[in-house]
Amino acid sequence: MKNTALSHIHESLGAKMVPFAGFIMPVQYEGVTKEHNTVRESVGVFDVSHMGEFLVEGETALALLQKVTSNDVAKLDIGDAQYSCLTNENNGIVDDLICYRIKENTYLLVVNASNIEKDWNWITHYNSEFGATLKNLSDDYSLLAIQGPKAVEAMQSLSSLDLAKIPFYKFKIGDFAGIEHVIISATGYTGSGGFEIYCKNTEVVQIWNKVLEAGSKFGIKPIGLAARDTLRLEMGYCLYGNDIDDTTSPIQAGLGWITKFTKDFVNHEALAKEKAEKPLKRLIAFQINDKGIPRQGYDIVDKDGNTIGNVTSGTMSPSLGKGIGLGYVQSSFAKLGTEIYIQVRKKAILATVVKLPFYKN
């Protein structure tokens, strides 16, 4: 198990540390609901340095990325970020990721921690055709997510950049917390606004300390991965390994909006056919109508008790006070308003297919 550059600080703060994607990570500090509400109402900071970072450079960098990712990288200007995925040759997803255009022929890919080696091998395999320069920066860089409605106000004193003028899914490279050349990205996984800060491992302790100091009068708190999961689920954001994986297609997962058939990418013909013919199963969002908490792996059944799918993510929503979840069902049960049942142990609990996000600010 690896540590992040901040592991010793999390331990000193009393965080509960657990193995996650090959790292020892803080799962919670004061409790999931309290941490969740901190991000929804004010501002919190996550250490998500376990994520992977790949640099893709050279005159063929764009051509390589157009081949391996589903979204249209050609639409990115310098300073843009883009949500996308790597598709495999069997209608599945290798990983979901964010692509940043840093310079004319330089891109940064941010990938899931559990998939770093798999993604690197996948992209390297296809790069034999293109010859772009690839660098795996994952072991040298740290990532902080500063999230919440007060994030801009709380962090403005740490940068000469006007943080309020960085639009959603845009980024700037500038000074932050006394460190030059930091990537300040208006992205995140919570739905409550804020930034993600990319810096070197040697710089992150200084930035972490200054972030907590600057945010103290705004009620900033360190937040663990458990609250990160409830926050992302309230927004309906897919989690790799739960809601998407090597066997689920972006069409089934409702990610057609990041799957652009105006270009040639891995397996695009089969995915275009699936889109045209309609997938046999779809990822839905549902809300429990009665008492009960859905969990990953629970069966989804119809009124007659027939299994029609399974839950991929589920929790008790701290913001709504209701059980919510995502899951795959036969497409005939995917229409909004459809009543389904979640098999919680021996009881089938009524739920309704709803529109995302669950949480609306």
Side-chain angles (χ1 to χ4, degrees), residues 128-196:
S128 61
E129 176 186 342
F130 297 95
T133 300
L134 303 180
K135 297 177 183 176
N136 187 348
L137 307 178
S138 305
D139 288 340
D140 301 318
Y141 276 76
S142 293
L143 173 56
L144 301 182
I146 304 164
Q147 298 284 292
K150 295 182 181 178
V152 171
E153 188 180 4
M155 295 298 109
Q156 185 56 70
S157 65
L158 297 181
S159 180
S160 62
L161 298 171
D162 188 343
L163 301 183
K165 290 188 176 179
I166 305 177
F168 191 48
Y169 265 74
K170 305 279 187 179
F171 70 94
K172 295 284 188 182
I173 298 177
D175 63 288
F176 189 82
I179 304 294
E180 298 293 333
H181 309 299
V182 172
I183 295 177
I184 307 169
S185 174
T187 49
Y189 209 46
T190 67
S192 283
F195 300 94
E196 293 183 304

Side-chain angles (χ1 to χ4, degrees), residues 312-332:
T312 55
S313 290
T315 193
M316 173 61 71
S317 164
S319 300
L320 305 178
K322 296 180 179 179
I324 60 171
L326 302 175
Y328 285 95
V329 296
Q330 298 167 17
S331 292
S332 57

